[in-house]
Amino acid sequence: MRTYHCFWLLFWASQPHQSFLTPLSKRTSGFPEKEKVLVLSGNSRQDLHRSKRSWMWNQFFLLEEYTGTDYQYVGKLHSDQDKGDGSLKYILSGDGAGDLFIINENTGDIQATKRLDREEKPVYILRAQAVNRRTGRPVEPESEFIIKIHDINDNEPMFTKDVYNASIPEMSDVGTFVVQVTATDADDPTYGNSAKVVYSILQGQPYFSVESETGIIKTALLNMDRENREQYQVVIQAKDMGGQMGGLSGTTTVNITLTDVNDNPPRFPQSTYQFRVPESMPLDSPVGRIKANDADVDENAEIEYSITEGDGYDMFGITTDKDTQEGIITVKKALDFENKNLYILKVEAANTHVDPRFLYLGPFKDSATVRIQVEDVDEPPVFSRPAYIMEVKEDVPINSVIGTVTAQDPDAARNPVKYSVDRHTDMDRVFNINSGNGSIFTSKPLDRETLLWHNITVIAAEINNPKQSSRVPVFIKVLDVNDNAPEFAMFYETFVCENAKAEQLIQTLSAVDKDDAYNGHQFSFSLAPEAASSSNFTLQDNRDNTAGIFTRKTRYNRHETSTYFLPVVISDNDYPIQSSTETVTIRVCACDHRGKMLSCNAEALIHPTGLSTGALIAILLCIIILLVTVVLFAALRRQRKKEPLIISKEDIRDNIVSYNDEGGGEEDTQAFDIGTLRNPEAIDDNKLRRDIVPETLFIPRRTATARDNTDVRDFINQRLKENDTDPTAPPYDSLATYAYEGNGSVAESLSSLESVTTDGDQDYDYLSDWGPRFKKLADMYGSMDSDKDS
C-alpha cells in the first residue's frame, strides 16, 4: 500500500492557532487576523490542479516597506508526517532564502528579516522541504510557492525633464498646442490608484492651461503680444492617487517663449527731417540717415526705404543699411546752389516680409518728409566745354590766335578769371594764352611733319582766390601745307656695262613726300637743265610716280669715265609747287655677255662681284695661314711668364694694372696681395692732384683710419663718399683698378678696360643726370657721339 505524505502551509490572517506554532525568536505583531491553510501532497496537487479557482493556494502576499521593529511574519510550513517529536527538519531554498527569508527548522514558521520594496523586486519564488533530522532523507517532495509583495503608495510622480522649454508664435489663438509634459509613477499601476497621475497647473494662469490626463499645455489667453511680454514660466504638478487627498506629487517648470510675427508696421518717430549739404558734395556721398522704428525683430523688422515723390526725386537716392535698418540718402546728380538750393522729398519705409494674417492691422509702411538745404560754396571756374579741339596750319606766323577757351565762376559773386597754360603739357612753350580772354596763340613755328597733335592743358583760376582753379584739355591739330619738296625714296647708286646697248633701262626711280596728300601725290621727273643736252643717259617719266634711266649711246669706257653723276629734278603738283634735285650715281663696270657685272673701278654696292677659282683658292690659303698663326700665338702665350699685377706701387689707386688673365678672386693669394688695399694708412692723403692746378689751397684732411677687418667694398665706398663731398676735386676721370674677381663672383671683373672695344655701343646720356660736376665729362662723351654720327 502506497503511503501519501503532505505539507500543511499555514498563512496567519486572523486568530493565532497555538497548536501550529513553536516558539521563535520574535513574532511579527499586527499581522492580518485571518489564516489561509494550504495542504500540499501527492494527491493534493492533482486535486488542486483539477479544481478551478480564481486564486492560487501556493502564493502569498506581503506588504512592502514594513516599518516595524520585529521580523515580518510570512507563513508556516507543516507536514502531516510531523508528530511533534522534533524528528523532522524544515528546509527553505530559493529567492532570498537564508538571507531575506528565514524558516524555523523545528516549527516551519517563515519570517522576512528586511524591509521589502516592490519597485526593486515584486515576486519571490521559494521552495520548501521536510527532511528526517536523523537520516537527512526527505519525507515529503519539495514544494514551490510564491511570495508577492503588495504595493503601497510610496513613490511620487517624476517628470521626464526637470525643465521644459517651448515656444509659440505671438498672437496665437486660444487652445494652441504649446508642449506636452510627461510624469511617471514607479508604483504598481494594477493595484489601486497609486500610479494614476493627474496634471494641474500651479503657476502660469490665466495665460496657459494643461490637460489633466495628457499633460498637454495649451494657450488660454487670446492675442498674447511678444512686444508686451516675451517670456513665461509655467509650473505643472503631477499628483498620483488620481489627484485625491493624500496622493504624492511632483512638479516641473516649463519656460515658454513667444516668437515674433510681423504684427507691427514701421513708424517714423517724426514726420519731417531736415539736412544741409554743400553744393560741392561728390556723387554717391551720404547726405543723412533716417530710421523708422519697428517693434518686431529679425526679418519681421526689415525695412525697405524709397523716395516716392518730390522735386529732388532724380537728384537724390536712398538705400537701406542692412545692419542698422536705416535709410541712407545719397547724392545722385551734381548740386548747384545757384540753380536750386532747396529740395523736398517724400520717403516711404515699408516692411519687406508682410504676414497676410495681420493685414487687418493696417498698411505695413509709413512715410516722412525730408527737406534738403543746399549750401553755397566757393566753386572753381567752369569751362564752357569739357574739352576743346582746335586746328591751325603749320605755316601760320608766330603770335597767331588759333582759338579761345571760356570759363566762368559759377558762384553768385562771378569773380573774374585768369587763364594760363600748364607748362608740364607744353614743355617747349609752343603755345601761349591771353590771361584775360583765354585766346590761345602760337609762340613758336609749327611743323606738321614733326608733330601732328599738340595736347595741352589750360588752367582757369579765380583772381581773388587762385586756389579755386579748374583744368580743361585742349587738342590742337596742325594742318599740312605744301612746304616739303619730294625726294628719292632711297639712295640710288647703280652701274652700266661697258658693252651696254642704247636705250637700255639701267635703273627705276621712285620718290616720297613728307607732306600730307589728300588726293594722293603726283610727282614729275626730269633731268636737270645742265645735264639734259650733254648727258650720256636719258630719263623717262612713267607718270605713276616712277621714272626710268636709259642709256643714250651704245658703249661706255670705264677707263675714260668710271662714274657718272646724273642730276634728277623731282616736282609735286601741290600749291605752291615744291621741287628738289637729287643725284643718281652710275658706275661703268665690265660685264659678261649676259650683262652680269664682273668688276668696276669702285666696288658696286648693289650687285656682288663674281670670283674666279684662283681667287677662291687664294682666300682659302689666307684663312689657313691665319689659323696657324693664332694657334702658335696661343701656345707661346701659355709658356710666357706672367707679368706682375702691379707695375708701380707709388699710388695704388691711380694706376692702370696690366693683366692678361682672370685671377681667382679674394681667395687667390698668389695672384695679388689684397692686404695693401686693406691698409688705408699707406695712402698719402696730403698729395694734391698732379694733373691740374687747384684754384684754392685747402688744408689736407686726414680721414679716419679704417678697421683692420674693413673689406674692399667698405673701403671703396668710404673713399667714393669722401671724393664726392670734396670741393677741391675737379670733374675729371681717373681709372683705378683694385683687384680681380674670380670666375665664381657675381660681380664679374671690376676692370673697365674691356669697354674700350665696345665704345660704339655705349650710351653716355646718363652722365647728364649726375649733376654739374660731371658736365664736362658728359659734354666730352656727347661730342664724341656727335662726331661718330656725322
mmCIF file of all heavy atoms in Angstrom, residues 313-346:
data_model
loop_
_atom_site.group_PDB
_atom_site.id
_atom_site.type_symbol
_atom_site.label_atom_id
_atom_site.label_comp_id
_atom_site.label_asym_id
_atom_site.label_seq_id
_atom_site.Cartn_x
_atom_site.Cartn_y
_atom_site.Cartn_z
ATOM 1 N N TYR A 313 13.459 114.071 -56.740
ATOM 2 C CA TYR A 313 13.339 112.634 -56.981
ATOM 3 C C TYR A 313 14.517 112.094 -57.788
ATOM 4 O O TYR A 313 15.002 110.991 -57.536
ATOM 5 C CB TYR A 313 12.020 112.357 -57.696
ATOM 6 C CG TYR A 313 11.772 110.895 -57.994
ATOM 7 C CD1 TYR A 313 11.264 110.051 -57.006
ATOM 8 C CD2 TYR A 313 12.052 110.356 -59.240
ATOM 9 C CE1 TYR A 313 11.031 108.718 -57.264
ATOM 10 C CE2 TYR A 313 11.829 109.022 -59.505
ATOM 11 C CZ TYR A 313 11.313 108.205 -58.515
ATOM 12 O OH TYR A 313 11.100 106.876 -58.767
ATOM 13 N N ASP A 314 14.986 112.873 -58.785
ATOM 14 C CA ASP A 314 16.081 112.418 -59.623
ATOM 15 C C ASP A 314 17.441 112.925 -59.158
ATOM 16 O O ASP A 314 18.468 112.557 -59.723
ATOM 17 C CB ASP A 314 15.851 112.857 -61.069
ATOM 18 C CG ASP A 314 15.722 114.368 -61.191
ATOM 19 O OD1 ASP A 314 15.449 115.008 -60.157
ATOM 20 O OD2 ASP A 314 15.881 114.893 -62.309
ATOM 21 N N MET A 315 17.463 113.778 -58.136
ATOM 22 C CA MET A 315 18.723 114.324 -57.636
ATOM 23 C C MET A 315 19.302 113.501 -56.500
ATOM 24 O O MET A 315 20.510 113.513 -56.262
ATOM 25 C CB MET A 315 18.528 115.760 -57.162
ATOM 26 C CG MET A 315 18.059 116.716 -58.242
ATOM 27 S SD MET A 315 19.277 116.934 -59.556
ATOM 28 C CE MET A 315 20.587 117.730 -58.654
ATOM 29 N N PHE A 316 18.439 112.791 -55.786
ATOM 30 C CA PHE A 316 18.883 112.042 -54.608
ATOM 31 C C PHE A 316 18.376 110.615 -54.698
ATOM 32 O O PHE A 316 17.372 110.325 -55.364
ATOM 33 C CB PHE A 316 18.354 112.693 -53.311
ATOM 34 C CG PHE A 316 18.831 114.100 -53.103
ATOM 35 C CD1 PHE A 316 18.071 115.180 -53.556
ATOM 36 C CD2 PHE A 316 20.030 114.354 -52.473
ATOM 37 C CE1 PHE A 316 18.510 116.476 -53.367
ATOM 38 C CE2 PHE A 316 20.478 115.651 -52.283
ATOM 39 C CZ PHE A 316 19.711 116.718 -52.737
ATOM 40 N N GLY A 317 19.078 109.726 -54.026
ATOM 41 C CA GLY A 317 18.679 108.334 -53.908
ATOM 42 C C GLY A 317 18.720 107.905 -52.453
ATOM 43 O O GLY A 317 19.269 108.604 -51.586
ATOM 44 N N ILE A 318 18.118 106.775 -52.157
ATOM 45 C CA ILE A 318 18.105 106.267 -50.783
ATOM 46 C C ILE A 318 18.327 104.767 -50.820
ATOM 47 O O ILE A 318 17.781 104.058 -51.670
ATOM 48 C CB ILE A 318 16.784 106.627 -50.060
ATOM 49 C CG1 ILE A 318 16.879 106.268 -48.570
ATOM 50 C CG2 ILE A 318 15.598 105.956 -50.713
ATOM 51 C CD1 ILE A 318 15.739 106.833 -47.740
ATOM 52 N N THR A 319 19.185 104.286 -49.919
ATOM 53 C CA THR A 319 19.476 102.864 -49.775
ATOM 54 C C THR A 319 19.261 102.457 -48.324
ATOM 55 O O THR A 319 19.192 103.307 -47.425
ATOM 56 C CB THR A 319 20.915 102.534 -50.202
ATOM 57 O OG1 THR A 319 21.830 103.329 -49.413
ATOM 58 C CG2 THR A 319 21.131 102.842 -51.675
ATOM 59 N N THR A 320 19.171 101.156 -48.103
ATOM 60 C CA THR A 320 18.915 100.623 -46.761
ATOM 61 C C THR A 320 20.188 100.008 -46.207
ATOM 62 O O THR A 320 20.837 99.204 -46.872
ATOM 63 C CB THR A 320 17.805 99.573 -46.794
ATOM 64 O OG1 THR A 320 16.628 100.153 -47.357
ATOM 65 C CG2 THR A 320 17.503 99.065 -45.387
ATOM 66 N N ASP A 321 20.546 100.421 -44.988
ATOM 67 C CA ASP A 321 21.646 99.795 -44.263
ATOM 68 C C ASP A 321 21.111 98.532 -43.605
ATOM 69 O O ASP A 321 20.292 98.596 -42.678
ATOM 70 C CB ASP A 321 22.202 100.764 -43.215
ATOM 71 C CG ASP A 321 23.491 100.244 -42.569
ATOM 72 O OD1 ASP A 321 23.684 99.017 -42.547
ATOM 73 O OD2 ASP A 321 24.291 101.067 -42.087
ATOM 74 N N LYS A 322 21.544 97.365 -44.084
ATOM 75 C CA LYS A 322 21.000 96.098 -43.590
ATOM 76 C C LYS A 322 21.338 95.839 -42.128
ATOM 77 O O LYS A 322 20.637 95.069 -41.458
ATOM 78 C CB LYS A 322 21.533 94.944 -44.446
ATOM 79 C CG LYS A 322 21.130 95.035 -45.917
ATOM 80 C CD LYS A 322 19.623 95.042 -46.092
ATOM 81 C CE LYS A 322 19.237 95.084 -47.573
ATOM 82 N NZ LYS A 322 17.762 95.120 -47.754
ATOM 83 N N ASP A 323 22.397 96.449 -41.626
ATOM 84 C CA ASP A 323 22.787 96.210 -40.231
ATOM 85 C C ASP A 323 21.960 97.051 -39.261
ATOM 86 O O ASP A 323 21.555 96.563 -38.204
ATOM 87 C CB ASP A 323 24.273 96.515 -40.048
ATOM 88 C CG ASP A 323 25.149 95.582 -40.859
ATOM 89 O OD1 ASP A 323 24.720 94.427 -41.072
ATOM 90 O OD2 ASP A 323 26.237 96.002 -41.287
ATOM 91 N N THR A 324 21.717 98.317 -39.612
ATOM 92 C CA THR A 324 21.004 99.213 -38.692
ATOM 93 C C THR A 324 19.576 99.485 -39.119
ATOM 94 O O THR A 324 18.823 100.128 -38.375
ATOM 95 C CB THR A 324 21.760 100.547 -38.586
ATOM 96 O OG1 THR A 324 21.795 101.178 -39.878
ATOM 97 C CG2 THR A 324 23.198 100.311 -38.121
ATOM 98 N N GLN A 325 19.185 99.000 -40.299
ATOM 99 C CA GLN A 325 17.844 99.257 -40.838
ATOM 100 C C GLN A 325 17.559 100.752 -40.942
ATOM 101 O O GLN A 325 16.449 101.217 -40.692
ATOM 102 C CB GLN A 325 16.778 98.560 -39.972
ATOM 103 C CG GLN A 325 16.859 97.054 -39.984
ATOM 104 C CD GLN A 325 16.714 96.468 -41.386
ATOM 105 O OE1 GLN A 325 15.853 96.900 -42.150
ATOM 106 N NE2 GLN A 325 17.564 95.511 -41.714
ATOM 107 N N GLU A 326 18.591 101.509 -41.347
ATOM 108 C CA GLU A 326 18.444 102.933 -41.566
ATOM 109 C C GLU A 326 18.413 103.218 -43.061
ATOM 110 O O GLU A 326 19.004 102.483 -43.856
ATOM 111 C CB GLU A 326 19.596 103.704 -40.925
ATOM 112 C CG GLU A 326 19.609 103.654 -39.406
ATOM 113 C CD GLU A 326 20.802 104.395 -38.833
ATOM 114 O OE1 GLU A 326 21.912 104.229 -39.369
ATOM 115 O OE2 GLU A 326 20.627 105.139 -37.856
ATOM 116 N N GLY A 327 17.746 104.306 -43.421
ATOM 117 C CA GLY A 327 17.735 104.755 -44.799
ATOM 118 C C GLY A 327 18.814 105.807 -45.009
ATOM 119 O O GLY A 327 18.858 106.818 -44.307
ATOM 120 N N ILE A 328 19.730 105.557 -45.970
ATOM 121 C CA ILE A 328 20.846 106.460 -46.242
ATOM 122 C C ILE A 328 20.523 107.244 -47.514
ATOM 123 O O ILE A 328 20.415 106.664 -48.590
ATOM 124 C CB ILE A 328 22.160 105.687 -46.412
ATOM 125 C CG1 ILE A 328 22.413 104.782 -45.187
ATOM 126 C CG2 ILE A 328 23.322 106.636 -46.623
ATOM 127 C CD1 ILE A 328 23.616 103.887 -45.346
ATOM 128 N N ILE A 329 20.394 108.546 -47.384
ATOM 129 C CA ILE A 329 20.105 109.414 -48.526
ATOM 130 C C ILE A 329 21.428 109.825 -49.150
ATOM 131 O O ILE A 329 22.332 110.304 -48.460
ATOM 132 C CB ILE A 329 19.300 110.643 -48.086
ATOM 133 C CG1 ILE A 329 17.984 110.213 -47.431
ATOM 134 C CG2 ILE A 329 19.016 111.556 -49.268
ATOM 135 C CD1 ILE A 329 17.178 111.351 -46.860
ATOM 136 N N THR A 330 21.569 109.637 -50.464
ATOM 137 C CA THR A 330 22.814 109.934 -51.167
ATOM 138 C C THR A 330 22.537 110.881 -52.333
ATOM 139 O O THR A 330 21.389 111.024 -52.789
ATOM 140 C CB THR A 330 23.461 108.650 -51.704
ATOM 141 O OG1 THR A 330 22.528 107.973 -52.555
ATOM 142 C CG2 THR A 330 23.838 107.716 -50.563
ATOM 143 N N VAL A 331 23.633 111.493 -52.831
ATOM 144 C CA VAL A 331 23.547 112.421 -53.957
ATOM 145 C C VAL A 331 23.698 111.630 -55.256
ATOM 146 O O VAL A 331 24.663 110.885 -55.432
ATOM 147 C CB VAL A 331 24.646 113.505 -53.855
ATOM 148 C CG1 VAL A 331 24.571 114.436 -55.051
ATOM 149 C CG2 VAL A 331 24.502 114.283 -52.562
ATOM 150 N N LYS A 332 22.742 111.788 -56.178
ATOM 151 C CA LYS A 332 22.795 111.106 -57.460
ATOM 152 C C LYS A 332 23.311 112.002 -58.569
ATOM 153 O O LYS A 332 23.972 111.522 -59.501
ATOM 154 C CB LYS A 332 21.401 110.585 -57.833
ATOM 155 C CG LYS A 332 20.929 109.412 -56.990
ATOM 156 C CD LYS A 332 19.497 109.039 -57.315
ATOM 157 C CE LYS A 332 19.303 108.696 -58.773
ATOM 158 N NZ LYS A 332 17.913 108.278 -59.065
ATOM 159 N N LYS A 333 23.017 113.305 -58.508
ATOM 160 C CA LYS A 333 23.461 114.252 -59.519
ATOM 161 C C LYS A 333 24.131 115.431 -58.847
ATOM 162 O O LYS A 333 23.896 115.702 -57.661
ATOM 163 C CB LYS A 333 22.286 114.732 -60.375
ATOM 164 C CG LYS A 333 21.671 113.651 -61.254
ATOM 165 C CD LYS A 333 20.595 114.225 -62.152
ATOM 166 C CE LYS A 333 20.011 113.164 -63.071
ATOM 167 N NZ LYS A 333 18.955 113.719 -63.952
ATOM 168 N N ALA A 334 24.975 116.124 -59.613
ATOM 169 C CA ALA A 334 25.711 117.260 -59.072
ATOM 170 C C ALA A 334 24.746 118.362 -58.641
ATOM 171 O O ALA A 334 23.771 118.682 -59.342
ATOM 172 C CB ALA A 334 26.695 117.789 -60.111
ATOM 173 N N LEU A 335 25.020 118.943 -57.479
ATOM 174 C CA LEU A 335 24.176 120.002 -56.929
ATOM 175 C C LEU A 335 24.712 121.367 -57.349
ATOM 176 O O LEU A 335 25.916 121.549 -57.543
ATOM 177 C CB LEU A 335 24.127 119.898 -55.406
ATOM 178 C CG LEU A 335 23.639 118.557 -54.841
ATOM 179 C CD1 LEU A 335 23.738 118.555 -53.324
ATOM 180 C CD2 LEU A 335 22.204 118.286 -55.274
ATOM 181 N N ASP A 336 23.804 122.319 -57.457
ATOM 182 C CA ASP A 336 24.184 123.681 -57.845
ATOM 183 C C ASP A 336 23.334 124.648 -57.026
ATOM 184 O O ASP A 336 22.104 124.737 -57.213
ATOM 185 C CB ASP A 336 23.970 123.896 -59.342
ATOM 186 C CG ASP A 336 24.546 125.229 -59.809
ATOM 187 O OD1 ASP A 336 25.093 125.965 -58.959
ATOM 188 O OD2 ASP A 336 24.453 125.531 -61.013
ATOM 189 N N PHE A 337 23.986 125.337 -56.119
ATOM 190 C CA PHE A 337 23.275 126.275 -55.250
ATOM 191 C C PHE A 337 22.622 127.384 -56.064
ATOM 192 O O PHE A 337 21.505 127.824 -55.747
ATOM 193 C CB PHE A 337 24.258 126.860 -54.222
ATOM 194 C CG PHE A 337 23.679 127.961 -53.391
ATOM 195 C CD1 PHE A 337 22.902 127.682 -52.281
ATOM 196 C CD2 PHE A 337 23.899 129.293 -53.721
ATOM 197 C CE1 PHE A 337 22.360 128.696 -51.505
ATOM 198 C CE2 PHE A 337 23.374 130.316 -52.960
ATOM 199 C CZ PHE A 337 22.600 130.019 -51.846
ATOM 200 N N GLU A 338 23.325 127.845 -57.088
ATOM 201 C CA GLU A 338 22.793 128.946 -57.873
ATOM 202 C C GLU A 338 21.572 128.529 -58.688
ATOM 203 O O GLU A 338 20.721 129.361 -59.023
ATOM 204 C CB GLU A 338 23.878 129.491 -58.817
ATOM 205 C CG GLU A 338 24.993 130.247 -58.114
ATOM 206 C CD GLU A 338 25.931 129.338 -57.334
ATOM 207 O OE1 GLU A 338 26.041 128.152 -57.712
ATOM 208 O OE2 GLU A 338 26.547 129.816 -56.363
ATOM 209 N N ASN A 339 21.470 127.247 -58.989
ATOM 210 C CA ASN A 339 20.333 126.760 -59.765
ATOM 211 C C ASN A 339 19.147 126.410 -58.865
ATOM 212 O O ASN A 339 18.006 126.800 -59.155
ATOM 213 C CB ASN A 339 20.758 125.538 -60.575
ATOM 214 C CG ASN A 339 19.662 125.051 -61.496
ATOM 215 O OD1 ASN A 339 18.811 125.816 -61.907
ATOM 216 N ND2 ASN A 339 19.699 123.769 -61.814
ATOM 217 N N LYS A 340 19.385 125.692 -57.769
ATOM 218 C CA LYS A 340 18.322 125.316 -56.829
ATOM 219 C C LYS A 340 18.963 125.018 -55.491
ATOM 220 O O LYS A 340 19.925 124.263 -55.409
ATOM 221 C CB LYS A 340 17.551 124.096 -57.346
ATOM 222 C CG LYS A 340 16.308 123.753 -56.532
ATOM 223 C CD LYS A 340 15.557 122.597 -57.177
ATOM 224 C CE LYS A 340 14.289 122.237 -56.401
ATOM 225 N NZ LYS A 340 13.323 123.359 -56.336
ATOM 226 N N ASN A 341 18.402 125.617 -54.435
ATOM 227 C CA ASN A 341 19.015 125.465 -53.115
ATOM 228 C C ASN A 341 18.133 124.750 -52.104
ATOM 229 O O ASN A 341 18.502 124.639 -50.943
ATOM 230 C CB ASN A 341 19.426 126.835 -52.559
ATOM 231 C CG ASN A 341 18.241 127.794 -52.483
ATOM 232 O OD1 ASN A 341 17.084 127.379 -52.584
ATOM 233 N ND2 ASN A 341 18.527 129.073 -52.317
ATOM 234 N N LEU A 342 16.974 124.245 -52.505
ATOM 235 C CA LEU A 342 16.098 123.532 -51.575
ATOM 236 C C LEU A 342 15.377 122.424 -52.325
ATOM 237 O O LEU A 342 14.799 122.649 -53.390
ATOM 238 C CB LEU A 342 15.083 124.481 -50.934
ATOM 239 C CG LEU A 342 14.077 123.822 -49.961
ATOM 240 C CD1 LEU A 342 14.798 123.214 -48.757
ATOM 241 C CD2 LEU A 342 13.027 124.819 -49.504
ATOM 242 N N TYR A 343 15.422 121.219 -51.720
ATOM 243 C CA TYR A 343 14.732 120.064 -52.284
ATOM 244 C C TYR A 343 13.855 119.457 -51.197
ATOM 245 O O TYR A 343 14.259 119.362 -50.031
ATOM 246 C CB TYR A 343 15.718 119.011 -52.785
ATOM 247 C CG TYR A 343 16.564 119.473 -53.949
ATOM 248 C CD1 TYR A 343 17.790 120.097 -53.733
ATOM 249 C CD2 TYR A 343 16.132 119.284 -55.256
ATOM 250 C CE1 TYR A 343 18.573 120.515 -54.794
ATOM 251 C CE2 TYR A 343 16.919 119.708 -56.331
ATOM 252 C CZ TYR A 343 18.133 120.317 -56.095
ATOM 253 O OH TYR A 343 18.896 120.733 -57.142
ATOM 254 N N ILE A 344 12.645 119.047 -51.589
ATOM 255 C CA ILE A 344 11.705 118.415 -50.664
ATOM 256 C C ILE A 344 11.374 117.036 -51.209
ATOM 257 O O ILE A 344 10.944 116.888 -52.362
ATOM 258 C CB ILE A 344 10.426 119.259 -50.506
ATOM 259 C CG1 ILE A 344 10.771 120.647 -49.947
ATOM 260 C CG2 ILE A 344 9.434 118.545 -49.588
ATOM 261 C CD1 ILE A 344 9.583 121.560 -49.830
ATOM 262 N N LEU A 345 11.612 116.021 -50.364
ATOM 263 C CA LEU A 345 11.391 114.628 -50.751
ATOM 264 C C LEU A 345 10.373 113.987 -49.834
ATOM 265 O O LEU A 345 10.238 114.363 -48.665
ATOM 266 C CB LEU A 345 12.700 113.831 -50.684
ATOM 267 C CG LEU A 345 13.932 114.417 -51.378
ATOM 268 C CD1 LEU A 345 15.136 113.553 -51.082
ATOM 269 C CD2 LEU A 345 13.705 114.521 -52.872
ATOM 270 N N LYS A 346 9.666 112.999 -50.354
ATOM 271 C CA LYS A 346 8.784 112.163 -49.543
ATOM 272 C C LYS A 346 9.360 110.755 -49.538
ATOM 273 O O LYS A 346 9.470 110.113 -50.592
ATOM 274 C CB LYS A 346 7.367 112.150 -50.105
ATOM 275 C CG LYS A 346 6.387 111.381 -49.209
ATOM 276 C CD LYS A 346 4.974 111.439 -49.748
ATOM 277 C CE LYS A 346 4.009 110.676 -48.832
ATOM 278 N NZ LYS A 346 2.621 110.705 -49.368
#
